[in-house]
Amino acid sequence: MGMRPPRGLCGSNFNHILVVTHSPDMPDCLSSNICLPLVGRLGQRAPEPTRKIPHSPIHSLNDDVLLNIFHLYQLDVSNVYDEDGDPNFEWDYQRWWYKLAQVCQWWRYLILASPSHLDLHLLCTHGVPIADMLAHSPPLPLTINYRETTEEDEKDILLALRHSDRVHYIRLNLSTPKLRKIITTMDEQFPILERMYIRPWIDGSLVLPRTFQAPHLRHLFLRSAALPIGSPLLTTTVGFVTLRLEDIPSSAYFSPSYLLTRLSLMPQLAFLSIRFRSPLPTGDVESQMFDIPIMTPITLPNLHRFSFQGVSTYLEGLLARISAPALIYLDIVLLTFVVPRVLQFVGTSETLHLTAVRLNLGDHEFILRSDESMVPFCLKVQCIDFDRQVSSTVQSLAALQPVLSGVERLVLSHGWRCQSWHNLVDRTLWRELLRPFGNLKTLHVHDSFVGKLARSLQTDDGEPPLELLPKLEEVGYSGGDDARDAFTPFIDERQIAGHPVNLTMVDISEFWRWMPP
């Protein structure tokens, strides 16, 4: 780094709020403002003093204190995620340190002397002259981030990828032909690569080179891409935290036994997503089930999110051999029917203690989601055939009875296209759907379900009045007088049985308020 500059170059007129401003003649990549509070919570303006407080000049802070401030600021601006759950790659978040390094020579020296501690990167993206940056910047790790490219951008990407020993993040969201051209050059080892996100604009078919290796890769998202047979990527990389293989084309299909063998090497895995573009014939998958060797069940102790799209037979083969005690989010799209093993898989979770849930019913899917921000559980199951969707919903909730037995509050809402639930589901199915909620005290029902559900809650001759939902205390509904009148016979029955239920009207917004997963 050369001789260390004197500390006093920063001046002495900085107070408890430090504002860094750049002059207009600075390079575009450095022209920005930032406000760093030196007291109070990072990211918030310090409160105005009610009395005069003595100030200390900024250069009175020692190196350790300044580095700690820089480090906390780096964590503050880096803790921003995009819609895919990936760290934000926008200008200010990836180049946060450029601004601070321009304040004075002392700060520049401190920052560039601590690249690992401060997680410094050079960002290769649109509008950045990559050749000049690589020629005149310190040899820091590279982040490559492009959403679409010009011809010049493509040359810059290829130039950056030639420095494979420095590439740390890769995020490419381009057209399939451009991605195919770029990916074919990634035929060597990327020793410090930790995160790779490859996503074509539209469905296509990409293949990673067989010789591509990234032994320290922790987060991988591939869409419409294949891992060639014999690729060492999933066998030599054991530190995966995120593994997302989505829109997998038929040409890239891999068997359940292949995947299970690889998962057994990933104890740190927290997010697993396996989504096939189209179903493989069920007979082919069933024949592969017999080829799965007898193996010790796999425990993924850190897995909290699992997503799958494909045939149920494939899913059953996976989940029969996996347990996930920390599971809180499950998203299932079944291209064929059946789910018993899925619910057993959910039952392996030791973290699920639900007391409030929302059930969203549609003609082709149901979504069961926690209504508690501290318990972000979600189960989503899709079936194309409505009859199977109804059966799937009822069977799923019945199998989840141990998890649902503690639920005290249920919001029943409608999903996209739920007309068949209004017209084709009979009383017996509605009652079976509600039966697992034996401890339910509050039930809120969207207006679209009021008529059918109100009649289903009423008892027939010979049925005990408290046979279904015996602890129910409140029914909420959206709609007008017709909805209230529909529930009146049920309310009267419970009054006579000595277990009165309050009937209340709730705002329609109640049925669109979804807690985040």
Side-chain angles (χ1 to χ4, degrees):
M1 295 297 298
M3 183 176 293
R4 173 183 175 135
R7 293 161 54 98
L9 287 177
C10 266
S12 59
N13 58 344
F14 290 93
N15 295 323
H16 65 295
I17 295 295
L18 170 65
V19 180
V20 180
T21 305
H22 298 280
S23 60
D25 59 343
M26 286 188 175
D28 180 66
C29 65
L30 299 176
S31 58
S32 185
N33 298 328
I34 186 170
C35 179
L36 258 181
L38 301 185
V39 296
R41 181 178 176 182
L42 282 176
Q44 296 181 349
R45 181 176 295 277
E48 293 295 329
T50 56
R51 59 185 177 84
K52 188 173 182 180
I53 299 175
H55 300 308
S56 298
I58 191 67
H59 67 259
S60 67
L61 299 177
N62 63 38
D63 291 358
D64 290 340
V65 172
L66 270 178
L67 281 175
N68 191 46
I69 291 171
F70 297 159
H71 176 64
L72 290 175
Y73 178 65
Q74 181 265 329
L75 293 178
D76 192 53
V77 299
S78 298
N79 192 28
V80 179
Y81 293 85
D82 65 13
E83 69 277 5
D84 295 303
D86 290 325
N88 201 307
F89 281 83
E90 296 303 323
W91 191 98
D92 284 335
Y93 298 114
Q94 290 298 305
R95 292 186 276 201
W96 64 273
W97 63 275
Y98 287 28
K99 312 166 188 178
L100 302 184
Q102 291 293 319
V103 171
C104 63
Q105 293 182 38
W106 171 32
W107 282 28
R108 183 179 181 84
Y109 178 91
L110 281 178
I111 290 170
L112 294 180
S114 308
S116 298
H117 179 63
L118 297 178
D119 195 26
L120 304 184
H121 297 81
L122 296 176
L123 180 60
C124 305
T125 191
H126 309 280
V128 175
I130 303 301
D132 289 344
M133 182 178 71
L134 294 175
H136 301 292
S137 299
L140 297 172
L142 303 179
T143 290
I144 301 174
N145 176 35
Y146 289 84
R147 292 185 181 273
E148 190 39 84
T149 57
T150 63
E151 184 175 343
E152 190 63 31
D153 286 334
E154 292 178 46
K155 294 178 181 178
D156 285 341
I157 294 173
L158 296 175
L159 176 59
L161 288 173
R162 290 193 198 115
H163 297 262
S164 59
D165 60 329
R166 292 174 57 187
V167 176
H168 194 219
Y169 291 170
I170 297 175
R171 182 185 179 95
L172 299 174
N173 186 195
L174 314 175
S175 64
T176 299
K178 291 180 178 180
L179 274 176
R180 189 175 292 124
K181 176 182 177 181
I182 291 168
I183 286 176
T184 55
T185 68
M186 299 170 58
D187 57 355
E188 56 188 315
Q189 185 172 106
F190 288 72
I192 68 168
L193 182 64
E194 288 192 3
R195 186 183 299 268
M196 186 166 73
Y197 176 108
I198 304 291
R199 182 175 185 175
W201 276 9
I202 58 175
D203 293 347
S205 183
L206 305 170
V207 181
L208 286 181
R210 188 186 305 273
T211 52
F212 170 76
Q213 295 186 55
H216 292 98
L217 192 63
R218 301 180 72 239
H219 304 275
L220 175 63
F221 180 7
L222 293 180
R223 182 174 177 84
S224 305
L227 296 175
I229 300 299
S231 168
L233 187 61
L234 297 185
T235 54
T236 60
T237 307
V238 298
F240 277 114
V241 175
T242 302
L243 178 60
R244 298 175 62 183
L245 306 177
E246 300 186 356
D247 193 43
I248 304 169
S250 300
S251 60
Y253 175 84
F254 45 82
S255 69
S257 59
Y258 174 87
L259 181 58
L260 285 166
T261 302
R262 273 62 188 173
L263 292 178
S264 66
L265 304 174
M266 304 177 189
Q268 299 177 49
L269 194 62
F271 183 3
L272 173 62
S273 180
I274 304 296
R275 303 180 77 89
F276 293 98
R277 182 184 300 172
S278 57
L280 196 72
T282 303
D284 292 352
V285 179
E286 288 177 344
S287 66
Q288 292 174 3
M289 295 298 105
F290 296 102
D291 296 333
I292 298 179
I294 298 175
M295 55 191 301
T296 303
I298 301 169
T299 298
L300 299 175
N302 298 302
L303 188 70
H304 66 264
R305 181 165 184 161
F306 176 62
S307 177
F308 177 85
Q309 175 175 302
V311 298
S312 59
T313 311
Y314 192 108
L315 182 63
E316 296 277 296
L318 282 183
L319 300 189
R321 292 161 177 82
I322 297 176
S323 65
L327 186 72
I328 56 176
Y329 188 96
L330 188 63
D331 181 357
I332 304 294
V333 178
L334 293 179
L335 304 177
T336 60
F337 179 61
V338 211
V339 260
R341 186 70 66 177
V342 176
L343 291 317
Q344 293 180 32
F345 179 60
V346 173
T348 67
S349 173
E350 299 172 358
T351 61
L352 285 183
H353 304 286
L354 302 175
T355 59
V357 298
R358 291 173 174 264
L359 181 59
N360 186 283
L361 300 173
D363 284 0
H364 303 300
E365 72 175 14
F366 80 86
I367 304 173
L368 179 67
R369 188 185 300 251
S370 169
D371 203 21
E372 305 165 87
S373 59
M374 299 302 294
V375 188
F377 169 76
C378 179
L379 170 64
K380 176 181 177 181
V381 177
Q382 293 184 347
C383 287
I384 301 303
D385 183 87
F386 175 70
D387 290 337
R388 289 182 172 180
Q389 177 63 39
V390 174
S391 300
S392 173
T393 304
V394 172
Q395 290 178 23
S396 297
L397 296 179
L400 280 174
Q401 193 276 335
V403 175
L404 300 178
S405 61
V407 172
E408 297 183 355
R409 184 178 186 276
L410 170 64
V411 176
L412 187 60
S413 187
H414 71 88
W416 182 70
R417 296 186 60 186
C418 61
Q419 191 61 37
S420 298
W421 280 93
H422 305 162
N423 302 326
L424 302 178
V425 179
D426 62 21
R427 175 182 182 273
T428 299
L429 285 173
W430 275 112
R431 291 178 72 86
E432 290 305 311
L433 185 143
L434 293 172
R435 199 172 301 281
F437 300 94
N439 200 44
L440 195 67
K441 296 180 180 179
T442 301
L443 172 63
H444 287 183
V445 184
H446 188 272
D447 182 55
S448 59
F449 293 131
V450 164
K452 281 281 189 178
L453 191 65
R455 288 189 291 274
S456 300
L457 289 174
Q458 299 173 38
T459 59
D460 280 348
D461 293 340
E463 290 180 341
L466 300 181
E467 185 260 345
L468 183 69
L469 306 183
K471 298 184 179 181
L472 191 64
E473 298 176 356
E474 176 187 320
V475 171
Y477 65 93
S478 65
D481 293 340
D482 290 345
R484 171 174 285 275
D485 293 343
F487 279 112
T488 298
F490 169 70
I491 299 299
D492 291 343
E493 282 185 357
R494 288 298 175 98
Q495 183 71 33
I496 294 171
H499 190 89
V501 174
N502 295 322
L503 186 60
T504 60
M505 184 175 179
V506 297
D507 191 88
I508 188 66
S509 62
E510 165 73 5
F511 300 96
W512 304 111
R513 180 176 59 82
W514 290 85
M515 302 302 297

